C-alpha cells in the first residue's frame, strides 16, 4: 500500500519505518505470529489464535493498554476497577461530562471552604487547583511517559485519565441515575456513545487471558446498560457528529451490523465462560439494580423492576402471594425498625461471599443475596429464582426478610 501510494519517496520512507515499528510491536506482544516457512497454506502471518474472535486495536494507545495491564497488581481489591480505568484512559474524553464532574466537585469544595470561613479570593485559588476525578493518575502518567519514550511513533497522542464508567460501576448507577446526577439530559447521546466505546474496548481489546471474574462482571454491567438504552440515541449522536454520513450509515445498516457483531462476540464469550457464570453475572446486574432502588427507598421502582423480571407476569413470592407496593413499603419499614441504618450496594457489598448462587436444575438457578448494611448486621437475605426462558432470563423474588 505504501509503495503504490502517491506519496513522495521521502514520505514513503517515513511511512515504511513507522509501519515496521508497529508491526514489530504486534509481533513482540504475540498479537501477530510469524508462521514457519513450511506452512502448507503459504501464509506468512496470522493473528494469535488464543485471542477472542473479535479482538481489535481500534484505539491509537491500545498497545499501551496491553503493556500496562500486566503492571497492575492482580492481588489488589481494586484490580478489576483499575483495568477499567486503564481502558477509560485510552478513550476520547467527553469534555462536557468531565466539566459536569468538575462543577460538582467545585460546588462541594465551595461549601466546605465557606464552612471553614475562608475568604473569597482564597476560595477561588483553591478551586482552580481542582480537576475531574483521575484514578491512578500518577501511575498512568508515569507508565505512559516511559512507554511513549520507547515508542516514538506515538507522536502527539496523549493519555486521558478519567473516571466516568468507573464511577458508575462503583456506585452501581443506572444510565438514568447518572444522567440525573450530572444534569446530562441534553447530552444523553454523548454519555451513551462513551459507554458503548468503553463496552466495546473491554470486549475487543483486553485479551481473554487477562480477563478476571470482576472484569467480566464489569463487562456484563455495561453490556446491560448499552442494551437497555434506546439505540436511536447512538444514531442521533452519529448524525450530530457526522451529518454527511447518516444516509450512508443507514443504507449500510451500520447499527444492525454493529449489533450483530456485538451479539457474535457475546455468544463466543458465553461459550467460553460457561452457562452458569453467564447466568450469574447477568442476574447479579439485575439484583443489584433492584437493591439500589431498595437502598434509596424508591419502592415504586422496586416493584417496577420485579414486574420487569417477571416478563409480563404479575410478580409473586414462592407461595404465590403478589408483591404489592404496600407490602414492599412495609418490608422497608421493618428493615429500618430492626436497627439497620441503611443498605449498601458498593463494591464491598457486591463481594462474592455475600452471594450464594446454585444451579437447581437444567435452566433453573437460585440466588440467596445477603443484604449488607453499614453496621455489618447482614441479617436479611433476598432469595431469588432464575429461569431460562428462551434467550431471556426470568427472575422471581421468592422471599425477602430476616435470615431464618
Amino acid at each position: 500500500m505504501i509503495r503504490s501510494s502517491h506519496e513522495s519517496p521521502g514520505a514513503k520512507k517515513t511511512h515504511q519505518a513507522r509501519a515496521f515499528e508497529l508491526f514489530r510491536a504486534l509481533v513482540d506482544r504475540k498479537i501477530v505470529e510469524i508462521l514457519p516457512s513450511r506452512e502448507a497454506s503459504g501464509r506468512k502471518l496470522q493473528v494469535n489464535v488464543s485471542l477472542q474472535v473479535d479482538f481489535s486495536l481500534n484505539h491509537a494507545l491500545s498497545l499501551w493498554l496491553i503493556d500496562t495491564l500486566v503492571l497492575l497488581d492482580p492481588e489488589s481489591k481494586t484490580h478489576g476497577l483499575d483495568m477499567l480505568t486503564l481502558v477509560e484512559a485510552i478513550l476520547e474524553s467527553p469534555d462536557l461530562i468531565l466539566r459536569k464532574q468538575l462543577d460538582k466537585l467545585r460546588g462541594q469544595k465551595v461549601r466546605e471552604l465557606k464552612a471553614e470561613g475562608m475568604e473569597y479570593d482564597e476560595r477561588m485559588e483553591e478551586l482552580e487547583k481542582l480537576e475531574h476525578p483521575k484514578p491512578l493518575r500518577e501511575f498512568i502518567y508515569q507508565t505512559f511517559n516511559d512507554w511513549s519514550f520507547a515508542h516514538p511513533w506515538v507522536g502527539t497522542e496523549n493519555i486521558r485519565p478519567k473516571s466516568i464508567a468507573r464511577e458508575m460501576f462503583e456506585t452501581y448507577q443506572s444510565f438514568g441515575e447518572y444522567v440525573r446526577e450530572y444534569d446530562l439530559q441534553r447530552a444523553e447521546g454523548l454519555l451513551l456513545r462513551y459507554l458503548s466505546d468503553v463496552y466495546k474496548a473491554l470486549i475487543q481489546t483486553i485479551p481473554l487471558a487477562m480477563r478476571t471474574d470482576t472484569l467480566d462482571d464489569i463487562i456484563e454491567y455495561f453490556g446491560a446498560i448499552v442494551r437497555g438504552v434506546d439505540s436511536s440515541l447512538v444514531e442521533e449522536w452519529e448524525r450530530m457528529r457526522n451529518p454527511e454520513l447518516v444516509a450512508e450509515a443507514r443504507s449500510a445498516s451500520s447499527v444492525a451490523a454493529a449489533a450483530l457483531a456485538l451479539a457474535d462476540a457475546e455468544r463466543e464469550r458465553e461459550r467460553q465462560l460457561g452457562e452458569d457464570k453467564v447466568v450469574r453475572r447477568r442476574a447479579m446486574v439485575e439484583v443489584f439494580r433492584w437493591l439500589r432502588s431498595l437502598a434509596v427507598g424508591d419502592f415504586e421502582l422496586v416493584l417496577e423492576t420485579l414486574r420487569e423480571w417477571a416478563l409480563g407476569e404479575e410478580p409473586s413470592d414462592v407461595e404465590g402471594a403478589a408483591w404489592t407496593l404496600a407490602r414492599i413499603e412495609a418490608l422497608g419499614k421493618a428493615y429500618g425498625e430492626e436497627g439497620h441504618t441503611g443498605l449498601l450496594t458498593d463494591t464491598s457489598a457486591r463481594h462474592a461471599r455475600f452471594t450464594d448462587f446454585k444451579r437447581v436444575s437444567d435452566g433453573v438457578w437460585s440466588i440467596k443475596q445477603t443484604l449488607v448494611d453499614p453496621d455489618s448486621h447482614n441479617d436479611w437475605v433476598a432469595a431469588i429464582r432464575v429461569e431460562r426462558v428462551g434467550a431471556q432470563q426470568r427472575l422471581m423474588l421468592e422471599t425477602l426478610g430476616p435470615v431464618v
Side-chain angles (χ1 to χ4, degrees):
M1 288 175 64
I2 295 172
R3 281 197 302 268
S4 61
S5 71
H6 296 291
E7 290 275 29
S8 67
K12 287 181 181 181
K13 265 190 182 178
T14 302
H15 293 320
Q16 286 170 339
R18 183 177 182 190
F20 180 73
E21 282 185 304
L22 292 168
F23 171 72
R24 186 173 59 186
L26 294 174
V27 172
D28 289 344
R29 290 155 184 79
K30 296 182 171 42
I31 294 170
V32 171
E33 298 174 335
I34 300 175
L35 298 174
S37 57
R38 62 180 179 275
E39 181 72 23
S41 66
R43 289 185 303 158
K44 296 180 180 180
L45 304 169
Q46 71 175 12
V47 176
N48 189 324
V49 294
S50 66
L51 295 171
Q52 54 266 48
V53 293
D54 60 337
F55 179 79
S56 176
L57 297 174
N58 288 327
H59 303 281
L61 300 181
S62 295
L63 287 178
W64 170 85
L65 172 64
I66 291 174
D67 282 356
T68 310
L69 284 170
V70 298
L71 302 179
L72 294 173
D73 179 8
E75 302 301 319
S76 170
K77 292 181 179 179
T78 61
H79 183 246
L81 288 168
D82 293 343
M83 295 176 82
L84 174 59
T85 290
L86 296 191
V87 168
E88 288 199 81
I90 70 171
L91 301 179
E92 290 290 335
S93 294
D95 293 332
L96 175 61
I97 300 175
L98 298 182
R99 286 200 300 272
K100 291 285 188 178
Q101 286 183 329
L102 182 56
D103 287 345
K104 183 177 179 181
L105 287 175
R106 285 175 171 167
Q108 293 170 345
K109 190 69 174 178
V110 164
R111 289 191 290 273
E112 292 174 9
L113 297 178
K114 280 185 176 179
E116 295 172 4
M118 184 176 288
E119 295 296 328
Y120 176 81
D121 290 340
E122 294 177 326
R123 291 202 305 266
M124 292 301 101
E125 287 181 14
E126 289 299 314
L127 293 181
E128 286 300 317
K129 300 175 184 178
L130 293 179
E131 294 183 305
H132 62 265
K134 296 180 179 180
L136 301 180
R137 171 188 172 135
E138 298 305 322
F139 172 80
I140 289 174
Y141 284 137
Q142 184 60 55
T143 55
F144 179 73
N145 288 339
D146 294 343
W147 187 85
S148 57
F149 180 77
H151 300 82
W153 50 262
V154 172
T156 58
E157 282 294 328
N158 206 349
I159 205 71
R160 310 171 189 90
K162 48 192 169 292
S163 181
I164 296 172
R166 177 168 179 155
E167 181 183 43
M168 285 188 71
F169 185 77
E170 283 185 309
T171 57
Y172 228 72
Q173 294 188 70
S174 67
F175 185 86
E177 287 173 326
Y178 198 80
V179 167
R180 290 191 292 273
E181 174 86 7
Y182 288 104
D183 192 22
L184 297 172
Q185 287 82 358
R186 305 182 80 174
E188 290 181 342
L190 175 62
L191 177 60
L192 179 58
R193 171 64 185 234
Y194 179 76
L195 296 180
S196 179
D197 287 345
V198 169
Y199 177 56
K200 287 186 283 188
L202 287 167
I203 288 179
Q204 296 179 336
T205 307
I206 298 181
L208 286 174
M210 293 184 178
R211 295 270 186 87
T212 64
D213 287 344
T214 301
L215 188 67
D216 284 320
D217 289 341
I218 291 171
I219 289 172
E220 192 57 53
Y221 169 78
F222 287 108
I225 287 178
V226 172
R227 288 191 298 268
V229 179
D230 191 339
S231 62
S232 65
L233 288 174
V234 177
E235 187 175 350
E236 176 63 15
W237 175 241
E238 288 296 342
R239 185 190 67 77
M240 289 188 291
R241 294 182 70 217
N242 302 294
E244 70 279 7
L245 297 180
V246 171
E248 179 184 344
R250 286 176 176 165
S251 63
S253 300
S254 60
V255 174
L260 286 173
L262 286 176
D264 288 340
E266 287 195 357
R267 280 194 292 272
E268 174 67 13
R269 185 162 57 88
E270 288 179 9
R271 184 188 67 77
Q272 295 175 11
L273 291 174
E275 185 180 28
D276 284 0
K277 285 188 176 181
V278 172
V279 169
R280 183 185 186 281
R281 290 191 178 102
R282 290 188 173 178
M284 294 314 297
V285 168
E286 289 298 315
V287 169
F288 276 99
R289 180 168 70 92
W290 172 75
L291 282 175
R292 180 171 171 79
S293 302
L294 193 62
V296 299
D298 191 343
F299 300 123
E300 291 184 358
L301 185 55
V302 169
L303 181 58
E304 182 183 329
T305 302
L306 293 179
R307 287 173 176 154
E308 290 177 11
W309 287 0
L311 302 181
E313 299 180 5
E314 197 61 31
S316 58
D317 63 17
V318 68
E319 297 178 352
W323 289 107
T324 64
L325 183 59
R327 185 182 178 189
I328 294 170
E329 288 175 341
L331 282 170
K333 183 178 180 182
Y335 182 78
E337 289 175 346
E338 289 188 11
H340 302 100
T341 57
L343 174 60
L344 300 179
T345 58
D346 58 11
T347 51
S348 64
R350 300 197 294 271
H351 194 280
R353 70 178 181 274
F354 297 121
T355 304
D356 181 16
F357 177 87
K358 292 180 181 177
R359 177 187 283 266
V360 177
S361 60
D362 188 33
V364 180
W365 297 261
S366 71
I367 298 173
K368 290 186 178 178
Q369 178 63 42
T370 299
L371 274 60
V372 181
D373 62 278
D375 301 314
S376 299
H377 295 305
N378 304 343
D379 53 359
W380 272 48
V381 68
I384 297 164
R385 179 183 176 90
V386 184
E387 298 178 352
R388 186 178 60 236
V389 182
Q392 296 179 293
Q393 288 182 180
R394 177 192 293 130
L395 281 71
M396 180 178 77
L397 178 63
E398 294 185 321
T399 60
L400 174 64
V403 177
V404 178

